[in-house]
Amino acid sequence: MITMIAQMRVRPENTAAYEALMDEVVEATRANEPGVVYYAWSKSASEPDTYVVIEVYENAEVHAGHMASPWVRDSIPKSIALVDGGFDIRQYVSGTCQPVKLTLG
């Protein structure tokens, strides 16, 4: 499996838009991508402007399909405009999975 944990800060004036955008991506991912084992976002309990997105994929092919999906392609430039300072993305692999190249776009 391949697990991605992305952390980002969202400017206070953008939190509603960011949360709505992520709700759309989560809903589309869960409805259309059976190889995505887990996909969710959370807001920090102690730092209200800090969010994480946790993604778990069965393998590299599932990750590639996710990145190519219209909801992800459309959401990336929108989310980039809403965050402050970019994304800190950590990747973890288990089993026979190899790391994938991390790109936004």
Side-chain angles (χ1 to χ4, degrees), residues 35-91:
V36 178
V37 177
Y38 183 83
Y39 196 92
W41 66 268
S42 296
K43 184 176 185 174
S44 172
S46 60
E47 299 175 53
D49 61 341
T50 301
Y51 290 77
V52 295
V53 177
I54 301 172
E55 312 168 23
V56 181
Y57 306 95
E58 288 180 351
N59 54 46
E61 292 77 22
V62 172
H63 176 263
H66 174 73
M67 295 305 293
S69 70
W71 45 91
V72 171
R73 285 194 327 263
D74 292 345
S75 73
I76 289 173
K78 292 175 185 175
S79 63
I80 289 171
L82 297 171
V83 302
D84 187 19
F87 303 89
D88 177 15
I89 303 172
R90 307 291 172 105
Q91 180 177 180

